[in-house]
Amino acid sequence: MAGLTNTLAGLDPLFLNGVTLEVLIIVLVKVVISFGVLLVSVMLMVWFERKLVSDMQNRIGPNRAGPWGILQTLADGIKLFFKEDLQPDSSDPFVFKLAPYLSLIPAFLTFAIIPIGGNFSDPSDPSKTGIITLPDWLGGESTYLQLADPPVGVLLFLAMSSIAVYGVMLAGWASGSKYPLLGSVRASAQMVSYEAALGLSLATIFLQSRSLSTHDIVADQAGAGWLGIIPHWNVIVTGFVPFVVFLIAATAELNRPPFDLVEAEQELVGGFHTEYSSIRFAMFFLAEFMNTVTLSAIMVTLFFGGPAGPILWDGVAWLWPILWFLLKLFVFLFTFVWFRATLPRFRYDQLMDLGWKVLIPISLGWFLFLAGRNVVDDRWPNTNGSLFSVEVLILLGITIAILTVGALLLYSAIRNAAEKRELEEVTF
Amino acid sequence: MVEIIVFAVCAAIVLVGAVGVIAARNPVHSALFLIQTLFGMAVLFISLEAHFLAAVQVVVYAGAIVILFLFVIMLLGVDQAEDLNIEPIVGQRFIAFIVGAATFVLMVATLAGSSDAITGQRQATGPLGDELTDNNNVRELAEALFTDYVFAFEATAILLTIAVVGAVVLAKRTSGEMLPVPQNTLEIREADYQARVDARAAELEANAAAAAEAGEDGSAEASSAAASDDDTADDEMADAEGGDA
C-alpha cells in the first residue's frame, strides 16, 4: 500500500498522513480541474489558431459563434458529435474503434505531471517550495499544484508520447485503405526517429537538475542566476542548444506543420484519419491540440522555470505563479501557430535527414559536453562554475577537439554515402 | 490487500495477452496482445517499486520495439490472417511442443527447488533504495551500471551497434558485380511492357482462333447466347441508373 501511494504521489505532502476522505476529495478535485482546464484550453487553442492564422493571411477567420467567434470550436464539436459515424467495410472493427482512445488518453495523462502553480522562489523556506496550503475552512491540507509527481516524472511523458504513436499507426492500418496506411507508416517512422532526439535533449535536463521529477526540476530552476537578474532557467543553464532541439523534435512529435507529412492533404487526402468521421474524428482532433498544449507546458516546465516569476503584489500571492505559467504557455502556443502559418512542409527525405543527421548528433555532442562540464564542477569545486578558470579552458579545448573530429567524421560519412548513391543513380 | 488485487488483475492481463500473442491469426493483433502483456508487466514492476524499470519497459519495449514490429508488418504487407493448417517447416510443431514442455518442466522444477517455495520469501537481498531519500531506483541502477558493470554495459552497447551495422551490410549485399543502372531505364521498361502486351494480345488471338475452329458446331451459339444475356444485364443496369437519376 505504501508503495502504491508513493508511486502515485511522489513526495507530495498531501499523502504524508495516509489517505483519508479529505485527501481523496482533494485528488478528485484536482483530476476534474486538470481535465476541465485541458478541455477548455483546447477549445480556446483551436479558436486562437484559426484566428491567428487568418490574421496572418489577411482574412477574418471565425466570427459567427459568440463574441469574436470564440465559441466556434464548441459549435464544431457539437456538430461532429451528432454526425453519422461511418466505418469502412474493409476496416478492422475493433482496432478501428480502439485507435482514437489510444491517441486521446496519453494526451490527458501527460498533463498530470505538470506543476501549474505554487511559489518556488526560496528553496530554504518550506512554504516557498511549490507547496500550497489550503485555508482552514477547506481542511488546511498542504499539497503540490500538480495532479501527480511520480518519481520517474518526465519518463512518464516519454512513455506516453510513445504510446500516442499507436493511435496514429493503428488508425491508419485499421482503416483498410491505402492513403491512411501510407500516412500511418510515415507517422510511425517520423515519431520514432524524433523521439531519439527528444530523449537526448531531455537527458541534458536530467543531468542539470539531477532528478526526473518535474517538481524537483522546477524547484532546481528557482532563484536568480548569473548577475542576479538573468533567471536560472534550464534554457540558459544548458546553453540553448537542447531547447532548440527539443522544440524542433516536439513539433515533429506533434505532427504539426512543418512536420505534418502524416496528414499532407496534397499527397494523402487526410492522412491517417481519412476514413474517420463524427466523434472518432473529433477525438483525434482533440488529442492533437491537447498534445500541443501539453508539450508547450512541458517545455515551460523543463526549460523556462515552470510557474516561477516575481510576485508583484502580496495580496493574492498564490495567483501569480499560475499567471506566469499561463503567460509562458501562451508564448509557446503562439510559436506553434506561427510555425504553421509561415513554414512550408518538409519533404520526406529532408525530414529524415534533419532528424538523424543533424538533431541526434548535435544533441548527443552537447550532452557529452555538459557531462564533461559537470565532471569539472565535481572534481574542482573551487571553480564555482566560472567560465575562465584553467580547468574549464582545458576541458573546453578537449571537448571542442573531440566534437570537431566527430563532426568531421560524420560529415565525411554523409558525403561518402551521398556520392555512392549518386554513382548508383538512386534519385532520392 | 490492494497489492493482491493489483497482482491478480495484472496477472490476468499478462496471461490473456501472452495467450493472445500466439492464438491471434492476424500478426497485427498478435503485436497488440504483446503490448498488453508488456503493460501488465510494467504495472507489476510499479507494484514492486521498480518505477524506472516500469517506465523503461513502456518506453523501450512498447514504444520502440513493438512499433518496429508493426512497421515491418505494415511495410511488407504481411498483415493478412495466415492459414494455420499448413505447416511451413515439417516437424516443427512437434519439436516446438516437446521443447516447450521441457522448458515448462524445468521452470517448475527450479521454482519448486528454490528456497522461497517453502518460506515464501523473495530472494532479493533488499529494496533498491528508498524513494523518500536521494537513493532512489534511478541512482542505484546508474551506479551499478557505470561502476561495477561498466565493462558489460559498454560491451553490450558495442554489440548492439555491430548488430545494426551487420544487418545493414547483409541487407545491402548483392549477388555478382554491381552494375550501374542504364541511362534509358524508362525506355527499356516501356519496350518490355509493350512486348508483354503484344505477346498477350497474340496469345488471346490464338486462343480465340482455336476456340472458333474447335467449336464450329454448338459452342458458337452458346457464346452468342451468353453475349445477349450480358447485353440485357447491361440494359437493366442502365435503366436502374436512369431511374436513380
Side-chain angles (χ1 to χ4, degrees):
Chain A
M1 188 63 207
L4 282 171
T5 318
N6 278 347
T7 304
L8 298 175
L11 303 175
D12 196 332
L14 186 62
F15 299 93
L16 282 184
N17 302 322
V19 180
T20 60
L21 186 65
E22 261 177 10
V23 172
L24 208 62
I25 291 172
I26 291 176
V27 172
L28 280 178
V29 168
K30 277 196 205 174
V31 170
V32 171
I33 288 180
S34 52
F35 188 78
V37 164
L38 209 51
L39 280 182
V40 172
S41 70
V42 166
M43 200 184 104
L44 294 179
M45 176 64 194
V46 175
W47 170 79
F48 173 67
E49 172 151 357
R50 292 180 63 177
K51 208 71 180 164
L52 197 62
V53 168
S54 51
D55 254 10
M56 290 185 184
Q57 294 169 346
N58 215 357
R59 295 185 285 118
I60 295 172
N63 67 346
R64 293 285 155 190
W68 312 289
I70 202 165
L71 296 178
Q72 184 63 46
T73 321
L74 200 64
D76 286 346
I78 292 169
K79 178 197 77 173
L80 278 172
F81 197 83
F82 287 109
K83 280 181 97 169
E84 187 188 356
D85 183 26
L86 294 170
Q87 191 172 350
D89 272 348
S90 57
S91 67
D92 185 314
F94 179 70
V95 181
F96 188 81
K97 286 175 191 153
L98 178 74
Y101 296 100
L102 283 181
S103 276
L104 192 63
I105 291 169
F108 270 121
L109 289 183
T110 316
F111 197 72
I113 60 165
I114 291 165
I116 55 172
N119 188 344
F120 283 91
S121 58
D122 189 0
S124 58
D125 182 351
S127 74
K128 292 183 178 172
T129 50
I131 296 171
I132 290 276
T133 304
L134 296 175
D136 278 338
W137 53 274
L138 277 175
E141 303 274 352
S142 300
T143 182
Y144 292 164
L145 263 188
Q146 75 189 81
L147 184 51
D149 181 32
V152 289
V154 185
L155 286 184
L156 185 80
F157 152 66
L158 278 183
M160 286 306 123
S161 80
S162 51
I163 295 308
V165 182
Y166 283 105
V168 175
M169 198 167 185
L170 292 175
W173 175 79
S175 295
S177 143
K178 73 177 91 155
Y179 292 115
L181 183 66
L182 281 174
S184 74
V185 168
R186 278 186 183 187
S188 46
Q190 174 181 333
M191 288 163 111
V192 169
S193 306
Y194 279 78
E195 227 158 66
L198 200 73
L200 279 172
S201 58
L202 281 181
T204 59
I205 303 285
F206 304 152
L207 199 65
Q208 194 58 46
S209 298
R210 308 196 171 204
S211 175
L212 292 173
S213 136
T214 43
H215 182 265
D216 291 354
I217 290 174
V218 169
D220 182 69
Q221 297 175 72
W226 294 319
L227 305 177
I229 348 165
I230 301 167
H232 191 253
W233 291 344
N234 275 333
V235 61
I236 296 166
V237 177
T238 57
F240 294 101
V241 175
F243 167 67
V244 174
V245 172
F246 190 90
L247 182 63
I248 297 173
T251 319
E253 278 291 299
L254 289 171
N255 298 323
R256 280 184 65 90
F259 297 99
D260 59 338
L261 289 96
V262 175
E263 40 196 305
E265 292 87 354
Q266 296 87 340
E267 301 155 25
L268 296 177
V269 192
F272 66 93
H273 55 54
T274 305
E275 303 289 355
Y276 280 85
S277 58
S278 168
I279 192 67
R280 296 192 214 287
F281 171 74
M283 278 193 222
F284 279 118
F285 201 69
L286 193 63
E288 190 181 323
F289 278 87
M290 218 180 273
N291 274 325
T292 313
V293 175
T294 309
L295 257 173
S296 305
I298 290 267
M299 271 189 278
V300 170
T301 305
L302 297 183
F303 290 98
F304 287 86
I311 287 163
L312 302 178
W313 181 49
D314 269 341
V316 278
W318 60 274
L319 191 62
W320 284 102
I322 300 179
L323 284 182
W324 286 118
F325 177 79
L326 290 179
L327 186 72
K328 293 171 189 175
L329 189 67
F330 181 77
V331 171
F332 279 104
L333 294 179
F334 178 85
T335 314
F336 278 127
V337 179
W338 198 8
F339 280 172
R340 171 173 168 180
T342 47
L343 294 175
R345 185 181 298 132
F346 275 82
R347 216 171 52 217
Y348 192 72
D349 61 317
Q350 291 171 330
L351 172 90
M352 285 295 154
D353 277 0
L354 180 71
W356 288 99
K357 295 176 187 168
V358 180
L359 292 185
I360 291 178
I362 284 184
S363 47
L364 198 58
W366 199 259
F367 176 71
L368 289 177
F369 170 65
L370 285 181
R373 204 194 68 179
N374 269 18
V375 170
V376 171
D377 277 358
D378 279 354
R379 289 284 157 87
W380 298 286
N382 55 340
T383 58
N384 279 329
S386 150
L387 269 183
F388 300 107
S389 60
V390 182
E391 294 90 347
V392 176
L393 285 181
I394 292 174
L395 168 87
L396 266 179
I398 295 174
T399 323
I400 288 172
I402 292 176
L403 288 184
T404 314
V405 171
L408 283 177
L409 275 176
L410 185 73
Y411 177 72
S412 70
I414 291 172
R415 276 291 298 276
N416 199 9
E419 268 172 31
K420 279 263 174 63
R421 275 210 302 275
E422 210 154 290
L423 277 181
E424 290 168 26
E425 298 207 341
V426 183
T427 42
F428 53 84
Chain B
M1 186 59 197
V2 175
E3 273 177 9
I4 291 174
I5 295 173
V6 169
F7 175 77
V9 171
C10 288
I13 290 174
V14 168
L15 285 178
V16 169
V19 172
V21 172
I22 47 171
R25 301 222 154 186
N26 189 319
V28 174
H29 292 170
S30 288
L32 287 178
F33 277 119
L34 185 58
I35 299 165
Q36 182 186 331
T37 305
L38 294 172
F39 255 89
M41 294 299 291
V43 177
L44 281 179
F45 281 144
I46 287 180
S47 75
L48 292 173
E49 299 203 31
H51 306 127
F52 183 72
L53 213 52
V56 166
Q57 169 100 352
V58 174
V59 172
V60 175
Y61 283 93
I65 292 181
V66 181
I67 288 272
L68 279 183
F69 286 175
L70 279 176
F71 188 65
V72 171
I73 290 171
M74 289 179 187
L75 209 61
L76 298 184
V78 289
D79 51 346
Q80 311 303 324
E82 275 185 62
D83 183 7
L84 293 177
N85 292 322
I86 304 165
E87 200 173 355
I89 304 169
V90 181
Q92 184 258 344
R93 276 179 202 170
F94 179 65
I95 297 170
F97 178 75
I98 291 197
V99 172
T103 316
F104 182 72
V105 169
L106 207 63
M107 197 171 75
V108 170
T110 317
L111 277 180
S114 60
S115 60
D116 59 359
I118 300 155
T119 59
Q121 287 289 315
R122 278 184 289 159
Q123 276 192 322
T125 48
L128 252 181
D130 182 4
E131 285 304 334
L132 295 173
T133 66
D134 249 3
N135 283 339
N136 56 29
N137 253 282
V138 183
R139 190 173 296 261
E140 297 272 334
L141 271 175
E143 265 177 22
L145 277 183
F146 286 102
T147 53
D148 295 348
Y149 303 105
V150 68
F151 182 71
F153 184 68
E154 301 278 331
T156 315
I158 292 171
L159 199 64
L160 285 174
T161 316
I162 292 173
V164 171
V165 175
V168 171
V169 170
L170 282 177
K172 282 221 44 140
R173 196 175 62 186
T174 48
S175 55
E177 209 179 8
M178 285 254 269
L179 292 172
V181 181
Q183 285 283 344
N184 52 347
T185 315
L186 274 184
E187 283 100 293
I188 292 175
R189 279 210 190 135
E190 240 163 64
D192 185 46
Y193 174 72
Q194 198 55 52
R196 271 190 291 142
V197 168
D198 291 346
R200 179 73 182 145
E203 191 187 330
L204 285 178
E205 221 164 273
N207 280 353
E213 242 173 80
E216 287 283 17
D217 35 74
S219 63
E221 282 165 31
S223 71
S224 72
S228 67
D229 274 349
D230 280 350
D231 283 347
T232 52
D234 282 354
D235 287 343
E236 272 164 25
M237 240 152 91
D239 284 345
E241 273 165 25
D244 278 347

